[in-house]
Amino acid sequence: MTGEKHGVAEHLEHWVTPVLGYAVNLDTFVMTGIVVAFLMVILFLFRINMHDGAPTGLQNFLEVVVEFIEDLVKENLPVYVPWVTPLALTLFIFILLGNWIGEIPGMKSPTADINTTVSLGLISFTLLLYFSLKHKGMGYFSEFLFHPFGKWLIPVNFFMKVIEELAKPASLSLRLFGNMFAGHVVILLIAAMIPWWMNWTVGVIWLGWHLFIGLIQAFVFTILTIVYIAIGQQKEH
Amino acid sequence: MELNATIFGQWITFFFLFFLLTKFLYSPLSRVMKQRTAKIQEGLDAAEKARIDLENAKTFYEDQQVKAKIEAQEIIQKAQDRAVALKNEIVSQAKEESKRIVQKSREDIQFEWEKARVELRREMADIIFLATGKVLGAAVDRDRHMALITDVVEHVKANGA
């Protein structure tokens, strides 16, 4: 039993390697690279078959995805910004494929690494800051001082606003990481606890469930990023 | 499970992917979708125009039909009026003609009557000559006794003929 637990823990650990003097998780990079390579193949196949007639097959699927994300952006942003759509699309596809790649035996989800989710969370946070400063200017900083309790409780306001703003990327990152990491822990524990010849039954059920969770998490991350941008664009608090 | 330089690597990967997806997926796909939307819109506009044209043609056809009916009615009415006028004219002419014929017939009859009277008178005179000749036993000179005979004939005519 101890040996099995040790095996599970070992499987969850990252291959940390120094690159230019900085530690990086090599397995995360390899998995991310596979996702990027897969996407490049998909893009190549899409581009050689692309036409402006009635869409079929891959083009049809990609159009559905792009339209879905574009509708989300257009419906939620008070001021439509064209480059937000491909950004949200990249977030959605990157997180979705990052989540799903971990379901292939021998692969690991790059989104089950806190570094990936924190980097994505920080991108979302940067967008929030950019749009808040662009649309509110100095008014954004006044929110830190005078909201929600007015000028008599500035320290409390500042503390609460800082927590509120930091909670956004933190919740985004930890939610995605927690879901993906927990999914892998559960599948490893199931594999360790039940007899090997029963693994496939539970594995198939869990696989279906975890594919669904991966889709939901990609959607949640994307829609929340769009919502944060929308909050940044709102003039008045 | 600790934070390290992987974060920066993932940023680079993310923005590389953002570039790839924007350049090779989103932009061309948006262009294609806009072109298709424009094509569909063109088709819809053409269909709408065709529908309006059809509607106009139908209205024009119905108007023409109504006009044709009205014109046909007018033509029929005119023809009827003309026929009535013609009939009246013919009837009037026929009446005039019949009057003229009757008048002429009367004149002819009168003429024949007068002619018959003259003939009768002449024949009566001849008979009287013969009879008188027979009675008197001598010939009566027509030219010489004409005045006398004429007086007798007039007298007979006045008293009983």
Side-chain angles (χ1 to χ4, degrees):
Chain A
M1 195 68 184
T2 312
E4 280 169 355
K5 274 183 185 171
H6 184 69
V8 169
E10 251 182 10
H11 194 81
L12 292 171
E13 278 177 8
H14 295 291
W15 310 335
V16 183
T17 310
V19 174
L20 301 172
Y22 296 99
V24 293
N25 297 341
L26 191 62
D27 54 342
T28 303
F29 277 133
V30 171
M31 291 301 137
T32 307
I34 292 170
V35 167
V36 173
F38 175 74
L39 268 174
M40 286 171 83
V41 171
I42 293 290
L43 288 179
F44 176 73
L45 290 174
F46 160 68
R47 286 308 297 269
I48 59 170
N49 293 310
M50 189 182 75
H51 57 89
D52 64 352
T56 51
L58 179 64
Q59 185 178 339
N60 196 18
F61 174 73
L62 290 173
E63 280 189 18
V64 170
V65 175
V66 169
E67 269 191 318
F68 172 69
I69 298 294
E70 197 164 35
D71 288 347
L72 276 183
V73 173
K74 281 181 178 170
E75 284 167 13
N76 286 287
L77 292 194
V79 182
Y80 179 66
V81 182
W83 58 264
V84 170
T85 303
L87 192 95
L89 182 74
T90 308
L91 264 179
F92 181 74
I93 290 178
F94 182 54
I95 295 171
L96 182 70
L97 293 180
N99 292 345
W100 280 359
I101 196 175
E103 309 310 321
I104 301 168
M107 302 283 192
K108 288 173 85 173
S109 288
T111 47
D113 182 350
I114 187 80
N115 289 286
T116 305
T117 60
V118 166
S119 72
L120 296 175
L122 287 174
I123 288 168
S124 182
F125 184 60
T126 309
L127 288 168
L128 169 66
L129 288 178
Y130 170 74
F131 281 102
S132 296
L133 289 170
K134 188 181 175 188
H135 288 266
K136 296 173 190 168
M138 294 306 288
Y140 178 60
F141 294 112
S142 74
E143 283 181 7
F144 281 78
L145 302 177
F146 305 116
H147 289 282
F149 299 120
K151 61 182 176 182
W152 305 111
L153 286 168
I154 285 175
V156 177
N157 290 338
F158 182 77
F159 177 73
M160 286 181 72
K161 185 67 180 173
V162 168
I163 296 293
E164 182 190 329
E165 294 300 281
L166 290 178
K168 286 169 183 168
S171 65
L172 275 180
S173 306
L174 293 175
R175 183 187 303 108
L176 179 59
F177 167 70
N179 272 282
M180 290 303 108
F181 183 76
H184 289 293
V185 171
V186 170
I187 195 79
L188 288 170
L189 288 176
I190 288 169
M193 284 193 298
I194 63 172
W196 64 268
W197 49 269
M198 280 282 285
N199 273 355
W200 69 273
T201 50
V202 183
V204 165
I205 295 166
W206 185 252
L207 173 70
W209 172 246
H210 211 234
L211 285 174
F212 176 67
I213 293 291
L215 177 68
I216 293 295
Q217 288 306 317
F219 175 73
V220 167
F221 199 108
T222 309
I223 190 75
L224 285 176
T225 301
I226 294 167
V227 168
Y228 290 157
I229 292 171
I231 290 170
Q233 287 182 339
Q234 282 167 352
K235 287 275 181 195
E236 294 300 322
H237 191 71
Chain B
M1 201 198 307
E2 58 192 33
L3 296 176
N4 56 30
T6 310
I7 291 175
F8 304 106
Q10 293 298 68
W11 276 343
I12 293 166
T13 311
F14 177 83
F15 285 110
F16 173 66
L17 209 57
F18 174 53
F19 166 76
L20 274 184
L21 289 175
T22 304
K23 188 163 177 60
F24 298 110
L25 176 68
Y26 181 72
S27 298
L29 206 56
S30 294
R31 194 179 63 245
V32 161
M33 283 158 75
K34 274 178 191 161
Q35 282 170 354
R36 191 184 306 127
T37 307
K39 265 187 191 174
I40 291 168
Q41 193 57 47
E42 272 175 25
L44 290 174
D45 289 347
E48 181 62 16
K49 191 177 172 299
R51 193 187 65 76
I52 290 166
D53 287 349
L54 180 68
E55 202 70 28
N56 289 341
K58 197 177 165 189
T59 310
F60 177 74
Y61 167 74
E62 283 170 357
D63 287 349
Q64 290 298 103
Q65 208 175 24
V66 170
K67 275 183 191 171
K69 273 184 186 171
I70 291 167
E71 276 179 19
Q73 284 293 333
E74 283 174 356
I75 289 166
I76 290 167
Q77 191 60 45
K78 275 181 189 171
Q80 281 177 344
D81 293 347
R82 175 83 184 127
V84 168
L86 203 61
K87 185 193 85 177
N88 290 339
E89 192 183 334
I90 289 166
V91 167
S92 172
Q93 280 177 355
K95 278 180 182 173
E96 289 293 320
E97 185 68 15
S98 66
K99 274 182 188 172
R100 198 180 57 77
I101 291 166
V102 167
Q103 186 61 32
K104 193 173 179 296
S105 301
R106 277 183 184 157
E107 286 170 5
D108 288 349
I109 290 166
Q110 189 65 32
F111 175 75
E112 289 299 322
W113 171 254
E114 287 298 324
K115 195 177 157 187
R117 278 176 63 186
V118 169
E119 187 69 22
L120 184 65
R121 199 183 297 163
R122 195 176 53 80
E123 282 187 8
M124 267 184 77
D126 288 343
I127 292 166
I128 289 168
F129 279 131
L130 283 173
T132 308
K134 292 261 184 189
V135 170
L136 296 177
V140 179
D141 187 355
R142 183 182 172 88
D143 297 325
R144 225 164 24 120
H145 299 107
M146 190 61 190
L148 180 66
I149 290 162
T150 305
D151 288 340
V152 175
V153 168
E154 288 296 325
H155 181 73
V156 171
K157 200 168 84 178
N159 292 319

